[in-house]
Amino acid sequence: MTIALSQFEEVRLDRVSRDFGTLNALRDISLTIRRREFIALLGPSGCGKSTTLNCIAGLLPVTGGAIWLDKHRVDTLRPEERGFGMVFQNYALFPHLNVRQNIGFGLKMRGTLKAEMDRKVDEALSLVRLQGQEHKLPGQLSGGQQQRVAIARAIVIEPPLVLMDEPLSNLDAKLRLEMRAEIRRIHNELGATTIYVTHDQDEALSLADRIVVLRDGVIRQVGTPKELYEQPAHLDVADFMGFRNKLKGRVLSSTNDRAVIDVNGAQIHGIAREKLSSGSSAYAAIRPDDLVVGEPGPNSLAVTVDTIEYRGREFVGTAHSHGGHDFVFRSHVSVEPGSQIHLHAGDERILVFAEPIQGRA
Amino acid sequence: MIRDTTIGSKLWAAAVWTVVGFFVVNLLAMIATVVTSSFATRWLGTWLPIGWTTRWYSSAWSEFQLGDVLLVTFQVVGAVVLISGVLGVTAAYALARRDFAGKRLLVLLFLLPLLIPPITFGIPLATVLYRTGLAGTFWGVVAANLVPTVPFVILVMIPFIEQIDPKIEAAARVFGANTFKLFIHVLLPLLLPGILAALLLVLVRTIAMFELTFLVAGPTSQTLVVALYYAVFAAGVRAVQSIDAMAVVYMVTTLIWLIIALRFVNPTQIVTRAKQQPAH
Amino acid sequence: MDALAPTPTILEGPSLRQRLAAYGFDAVTLLVVPAAIFSLLLFVYPFAFGFILSFEPKAGGDWLANYKRFFSDPFLYETIGKTLGLAVPVTLLNLLIAVPIAFRVRLMRRQRLLTTILVLPITLGTVLVAEGLLNYLGPQGWFNRTLMTFGLISQPLKLVHNYWGVFASLVITGFPFTFLLTLSYVTGIDPALEQAAATLGASAWQRFRHIYLPLLMPGFAITFCLSFVQAFSVFPSAVLLGEPAGLTRVISIAAYQAAFEEYDYPMASAVAMIMGFVQLAIVVAVLASRGLFYRGPASGAKG
């Protein structure tokens, strides 16, 4: 493989901010990305993840802070001077250039010699498995093929950093899984340092070495997929990680990492993820998988079943409690809509969070 | 689409097509009259001329100095096309790509010369050009003709530029293209069809633009359509057939460019200014 | 995760360039400047100049003298009525014919031949149409000749050098314009709406009345305005095909004569301002009556 990695140690974002407007603003984003790392920026739309990426690419100016590539400050450079590779959301292939010309565009701009350019483009073509398609125009390619061209175009210039802006969001579900594996494979082969923007936690969990969760232009949590999945730091991160049941209650007691809260008269024991003070509002967060249909007892709530859907290996149900909470649960047995059941979760499966500050929920 | 097959709707359709047919027949007959007359030796009180000749063309050519007039026409048109292309495309790019304070006002400003008939703004414009001494000169005619063509190019090009994904330009930047390379390698090839269409329409419109040229042209700077007007206005001085020959020369000049333009644009665009994208 | 390692960055506020960029002003925006200057010099300035000039009568007198003269001299003020007398019926006729034809043509798969033929008179322009009609509608022309052959008339109709000659020329150039505009509005409406109405039991007339008409009304209003403004500024055909000293002495002839025969530019400007004002008044009245005053001009130009 001669598509090589640029020699550098780290990319550092130092308190990067963007103040304009209320939407897409960034506040003090600090992050260090090491060579060969695959970082996912995860968050709901409008959280600033694409803005961050565009700031790194130089397509949007930052209004505060700096971006460093080792000892070189890059945020003051124009996009064409930064030398990063980028895969755009809808690929942004040049419609008037064929596959080969699209991939070779960056090399041509750098004045690469013809022979070397041909060799590198050939390699990139084989890396993304597009040999034989090279003289087609983007309009003649399928979505997945366009995606491959976009990736090849970004990596053929051997950039220190590859930026990917929701690259799979335009593909159908099946192709999305396929291309996810492709991106993983290419990253394994090349080890190109990558920042990958997505709103899909499955993508982030399966691809990234580390995940950065953003919300309202602020970093909420950074960690490995396992850390985020098992130990979300805030309620909104937990929400993103699949804790769909959120029960509001009042803190009865909390010690170190344990808490007991009162939810409409029922006592719920769980793991405290944030500092809690007795008497204050708090939320118990539970994944649907962790709710089991059981008997009345501790950590158990009486609910009325609303709907039940068959999902192959199991049933997925929705229910509500008399306290007005809605539940999503999974079950191996079917239950009748309208029937009264008890939902139960283990202490270790319940995370307790402080009530989010207004506007930061 | 729903087609009715009742008697009433068939009658209605027949009536509609009759009106269309009547219009088209009269239109074509009117044009045929001009062409027939230009080849007629003598044509009075009969269906068709007594004999056929081409001599009116040579006499019109010398009588009306058509060589000079055509040269001026093409010089004026060429200058108008080039200048309105440069001014119009750059302005359209800015308007399509940026939102800035006062943009709506500016668009309205560019819209007005297309909505207001040339004779209305042509009289004050001619007054100013006479005061500055530009009227009667070649550049005075070019300047007057640019007033509607620059906005025309802008309004045709704005939607065309808007449909090019700005991400494509961002991609070119990220992959190392500076402003010049971006223009040469990406923008120009993508915009070329639109520019070509806009400029061909400008060309056809400028050849046929009577009012503005008429108001500011001098004897050495008049275009073919103005020369034709003066010839018809002074009918009786010259033979009718000679004027008709000149009219045919004018028609051919216009229609050649119209046919070329129609290879790139839909006829409705000549009136409705680029609204041919699929509905959003 | 970086634990906010101390860095040598100086955090500075946004530069002027960045702040301007936030409001959309950057190098790209500046590309609009040449065209804007051009438009100010050759469109706005002459209009303003003409407007002011119209209040500085050549023959002296108070500042309104030109306007007073216009509205006291029947030879001048009657031009408004004569122009309206041509423009309004022609525009209405064109629109009334254009609408049913547009609905019919919309069904055609190959509209291009028809639209190409119709675009001919627009491209050829009023001068050529006037020249062609002079002969075609003349007493010896094919039109009268055909009518007499069919025995519809015994004497040739007088169709040139009067009101009807100008009327005919305005139909020949105006109808295609009106029609193509109407067609672009009619084809812009999703056919699924009509199909939906049909499945709900609406007849052809009801579909037109309750679905198309309300949706097309704004488009028709704009089409009327654009066609009217064109017809109102009729000039060459009024001279060549009409009676420029009598029945078809339209307002643009009055303006032209003031400027180029009397060399009274202030008076010519005053006539041009009156012409512009009447056009504006009719356009505003039409658009306002549809509650369209603000939307009208913008969507009108886009077609």
Side-chain angles (χ1 to χ4, degrees):
Chain A
M1 206 76 232
T2 53
I3 293 181
L5 295 168
S6 302
Q7 292 304 307
F8 76 103
E9 288 309 314
E10 60 180 31
V11 176
R12 206 168 74 245
L13 308 192
D14 177 25
R15 284 172 280 168
V16 167
S17 302
R18 211 181 126 72
D19 302 333
F20 295 123
T22 47
L23 209 75
N24 302 330
L26 298 180
R27 261 171 290 166
D28 290 341
I29 303 286
S30 289
L31 181 70
T32 300
I33 300 138
R34 287 179 290 272
R35 196 153 80 93
R36 289 180 162 274
E37 220 179 354
F38 196 116
I39 297 273
L41 297 184
L42 176 66
S45 64
C47 72
K49 55 192 192 303
S50 288
T51 309
T52 309
L53 202 73
N54 284 327
C55 284
I56 298 173
L59 297 171
L60 286 176
V62 301
T63 55
I67 302 169
W68 300 84
L69 184 64
D70 287 342
K71 296 207 159 31
H72 306 285
R73 189 169 171 178
V74 295
D75 60 294
T76 48
L77 298 178
R78 287 194 291 251
E80 62 264 33
E81 297 165 337
R82 299 192 186 190
F84 297 157
M86 186 157 178
V87 178
F88 291 81
Q89 187 166 14
N90 39 11
Y91 321 134
L93 299 178
F94 305 116
H96 60 300
L97 301 181
N98 67 25
V99 169
R100 176 167 272 282
Q101 290 165 326
N102 258 288
I103 297 175
F105 187 87
L107 296 170
K108 188 170 171 188
M109 292 301 116
R110 283 162 177 70
T112 311
L113 293 175
K114 177 95 174 58
E116 194 191 347
M117 192 164 116
D118 283 346
R119 186 176 53 75
K120 285 188 172 172
V121 172
D122 283 336
E123 263 180 48
L125 276 166
S126 74
L127 185 69
V128 298
R129 300 171 179 169
L130 273 180
Q131 300 102 316
Q133 313 287 330
E134 54 213 84
H135 296 296
K136 286 189 180 163
L137 289 173
Q140 299 167 298
L141 300 176
S142 69
Q145 288 172 323
Q146 291 185 19
Q147 173 71 79
R148 287 163 196 268
V149 177
I151 293 173
R153 184 176 66 172
I155 57 177
V156 75
I157 54 174
E158 301 168 11
L161 192 58
V162 177
L163 307 169
M164 296 195 173
D165 189 3
E166 308 220 12
L168 303 183
S169 60
N170 280 4
L171 301 175
D172 64 50
K174 183 168 170 289
L175 210 52
R176 196 149 51 213
L177 285 180
E178 222 175 282
M179 283 312 296
R180 195 156 97 184
E182 278 292 288
I183 289 174
R184 187 75 245 177
R185 175 182 68 79
I186 292 167
H187 182 71
N188 288 345
E189 276 184 42
L190 284 183
T193 316
T194 306
I195 303 181
Y196 185 103
V197 162
T198 181
H199 63 264
D200 182 326
Q201 69 275 27
D202 281 348
E203 256 173 46
L205 290 170
S206 61
L207 283 171
D209 298 321
R210 281 194 300 155
I211 297 175
V212 178
V213 180
L214 281 168
R215 194 178 176 93
D216 295 335
V218 176
I219 293 184
R220 296 291 279 160
Q221 190 172 5
V222 180
T224 62
K226 191 166 161 26
E227 281 165 3
L228 258 76
Y229 191 77
E230 292 174 1
Q231 297 158 25
H234 305 285
L235 184 62
D236 53 86
V237 181
D239 186 28
F240 232 92
M241 290 295 143
F243 287 81
R244 288 179 64 189
N245 298 301
K246 285 163 297 200
L247 313 178
K248 188 175 182 178
R250 193 157 294 281
V251 179
L252 294 174
S253 69
S254 75
T255 55
N256 289 336
D257 61 342
R258 294 284 160 170
V260 183
I261 66 168
D262 170 281
V263 176
N264 301 127
Q267 283 193 11
I268 304 289
H269 297 252
I271 298 170
R273 290 294 301 147
E274 285 176 300
K275 251 181 110 65
L276 301 165
S277 50
S278 292
S280 61
S281 293
Y283 281 87
I286 312 162
R287 285 205 171 85
D289 305 15
D290 296 330
L291 276 178
V292 291
V293 180
E295 298 302 312
N299 272 10
S300 179
L301 289 159
V303 297
T304 310
V305 177
D306 292 322
T307 65
I308 191 90
E309 278 176 30
Y310 180 58
R311 291 276 176 89
R313 293 174 56 192
E314 61 190 356
F315 295 90
V316 172
T318 59
H320 68 272
S321 68
H322 72 275
H325 288 111
D326 290 319
F327 293 83
V328 182
F329 63 97
R330 291 175 200 270
S331 166
H332 288 289
V333 293
S334 181
V335 285
E336 278 298 309
S339 62
Q340 295 276 332
I341 58 167
H342 284 87
L343 290 175
H344 164 86
D347 294 8
E348 305 294 323
R349 294 300 183 177
I350 298 176
L351 302 183
V352 182
F353 296 95
E355 164 129 57
I357 301 154
Q358 276 304 310
R360 186 59 59 81
Chain B
M1 199 47 51
I2 301 163
R3 282 171 188 275
D4 279 320
T5 45
T6 56
I7 301 284
S9 69
K10 277 183 181 164
L11 279 176
W12 175 242
V16 165
W17 288 123
T18 309
V19 174
V20 174
F22 181 74
F23 184 88
V24 170
V25 164
N26 279 289
L27 171 64
L28 296 179
M30 178 203 87
I31 293 172
T33 303
V34 177
V35 178
T36 310
S37 167
S38 74
F39 289 106
T41 49
R42 211 178 115 79
W43 188 16
L44 269 176
T46 47
W47 277 101
L48 286 174
I50 295 164
W52 303 94
T53 175
T54 54
R55 74 185 154 92
W56 298 113
Y57 285 86
S58 52
S59 72
W61 194 267
S62 53
E63 273 178 74
F64 299 115
Q65 282 130 21
L66 282 189
D68 293 342
V69 171
L70 276 172
L71 186 66
V72 171
T73 306
F74 285 124
Q75 282 169 339
V76 167
V77 168
V80 168
V81 164
L82 276 181
I83 298 172
S84 53
V86 171
L87 288 179
V89 173
T90 49
Y93 185 77
L95 290 170
R97 284 294 189 243
R98 290 289 182 276
D99 266 316
F100 50 88
K103 178 173 155 176
R104 288 174 66 96
L105 193 71
L106 204 56
V107 171
L108 183 69
L109 176 67
F110 289 133
L111 222 71
L112 283 175
L114 296 172
L115 300 181
I116 299 176
I119 198 100
T120 312
F121 66 80
I123 288 198
L125 174 65
T127 309
V128 168
L129 290 178
Y130 274 103
R131 298 250 164 151
T132 56
L134 262 175
T137 69
F138 174 79
W139 289 108
V141 174
V142 171
N145 273 289
L146 284 172
V147 175
T149 57
V150 170
F152 179 82
V153 173
I154 292 176
L155 292 182
V156 171
M157 288 308 290
I158 285 178
F160 197 87
I161 295 169
E162 277 173 345
Q163 53 138 32
I164 295 176
D165 187 351
K167 288 250 176 70
I168 287 174
E169 288 169 47
R173 287 264 182 212
V174 167
F175 291 113
N178 57 27
T179 307
F180 177 73
K181 285 178 177 168
L182 171 72
F183 183 74
I184 293 296
H185 291 291
V186 179
L187 280 181
L188 196 62
L190 288 176
L191 291 181
L192 208 56
I195 295 178
L196 206 63
L199 293 188
L200 278 168
L201 291 178
V202 165
L203 199 158
V204 173
R205 288 166 70 102
T206 308
I207 295 178
M209 170 50 75
F210 168 73
E211 285 89 346
L212 290 174
T213 314
F214 174 68
L215 290 176
V216 301
T220 56
S221 56
Q222 56 180 246
T223 59
L224 190 52
V225 66
V226 175
L228 178 65
Y229 172 84
Y230 282 121
V232 181
F233 187 71
V237 181
R238 315 272 183 204
V240 178
Q241 294 95 319
S242 189
I243 299 170
D244 283 323
M246 183 179 182
V248 171
V249 171
Y250 165 77
M251 271 200 277
V252 170
T253 329
T254 316
L255 294 184
I256 287 173
W257 291 106
L258 177 67
I259 289 164
I260 296 174
L262 287 179
R263 293 185 65 85
F264 298 94
V265 297
N266 192 304
T268 38
Q269 256 177 299
I270 290 172
V271 170
T272 59
R273 302 190 259 285
K275 197 199 166 192
Q276 301 304 315
Q277 306 114 308
H280 341 264
Chain C
M1 174 60 192
D2 184 323
L4 283 181
T7 44
T9 331
I10 305 139
L11 295 180
E12 67 238 353
S15 68
L16 178 68
R17 209 171 119 188
Q18 285 174 332
R19 270 179 284 156
L20 280 176
Y23 291 100
F25 290 102
D26 62 4
V28 169
T29 317
L30 292 182
L31 290 175
V32 85
V33 170
I37 290 175
F38 162 84
S39 185
L40 287 175
L41 276 182
L42 285 171
F43 184 71
V44 177
Y45 171 71
F47 232 112
F49 181 85
F51 184 70
I52 292 167
L53 191 67
S54 70
F55 295 110
E56 293 169 2
K58 192 184 171 198
D62 70 74
W63 59 289
L64 275 175
N66 282 329
Y67 292 93
K68 284 179 180 159
R69 193 182 132 205
F70 185 93
F71 287 107
S72 56
D73 182 352
F75 196 55
L76 288 170
Y77 70 72
E78 278 177 3
T79 57
I80 294 184
K82 284 172 186 167
T83 318
L84 285 175
L86 270 169
V88 173
V90 162
T91 309
L92 283 177
L93 177 75
N94 284 342
L95 195 59
L96 284 179
I97 305 176
V99 173
I101 297 177
F103 270 92
R104 211 24 80 175
V105 169
R106 178 190 56 138
L107 302 171
M108 285 167 71
R109 210 153 300 145
R110 302 203 314 187
Q111 306 169 356
R112 211 180 156 101
L113 179 65
L114 182 65
T115 48
T116 305
I117 292 174
L118 288 180
V119 105
L120 280 181
I122 299 177
T123 4
L124 292 175
T126 43
V127 176
L128 187 109
V129 169
E131 146 75 356
L133 287 182
L134 266 180
N135 192 333
Y136 177 66
L137 295 181
Q140 300 291 333
W142 282 344
F143 188 78
N144 271 315
R145 198 163 277 282
T146 308
L147 292 186
M148 291 203 292
T149 309
F150 284 114
L152 294 170
I153 49 172
S154 52
Q155 288 267 329
L157 296 172
K158 185 166 165 39
L159 293 172
V160 290
H161 299 302
N162 63 7
Y163 177 87
W164 294 108
V166 186
F167 191 94
S169 92
L170 285 176
V171 171
I172 291 246
T173 52
F175 168 73
F177 180 85
T178 315
F179 168 77
L180 292 174
L181 267 180
T182 311
L183 183 65
S184 82
Y185 282 113
V186 169
T187 48
I189 291 187
D190 186 355
L193 295 178
E194 189 191 6
Q195 289 159 356
T199 62
L200 297 170
S203 69
W205 167 249
Q206 285 170 321
R207 294 196 296 267
F208 175 78
R209 171 70 190 79
H210 295 291
I211 306 297
Y212 278 111
L213 200 59
L215 288 171
L216 287 171
M217 230 29 225
F220 288 166
I222 287 156
T223 306
F224 178 88
C225 289
L226 290 175
S227 310
F228 166 78
V229 163
Q230 298 272 334
F232 192 81
S233 64
V234 55
F235 178 65
S237 56
V239 176
L240 302 177
L241 270 175
E243 282 178 87
L247 259 178
T248 70
R249 188 179 143 84
V250 292
I251 191 161
S252 50
I253 295 180
Y256 173 78
Q257 285 179 339
F260 297 98
E261 287 174 15
E262 298 160 25
Y263 298 103
D264 186 348
Y265 291 112
M267 186 64 206
S269 297
V271 179
M273 292 304 139
I274 292 167
M275 174 164 40
F277 180 78
V278 175
Q279 290 167 346
L280 187 70
I282 299 265
V283 167
V284 168
V286 170
L287 295 185
S289 72
R290 290 293 318 156
L292 270 170
F293 184 65
Y294 289 105
R295 270 177 54 201
S299 52
K302 280 175 190 153

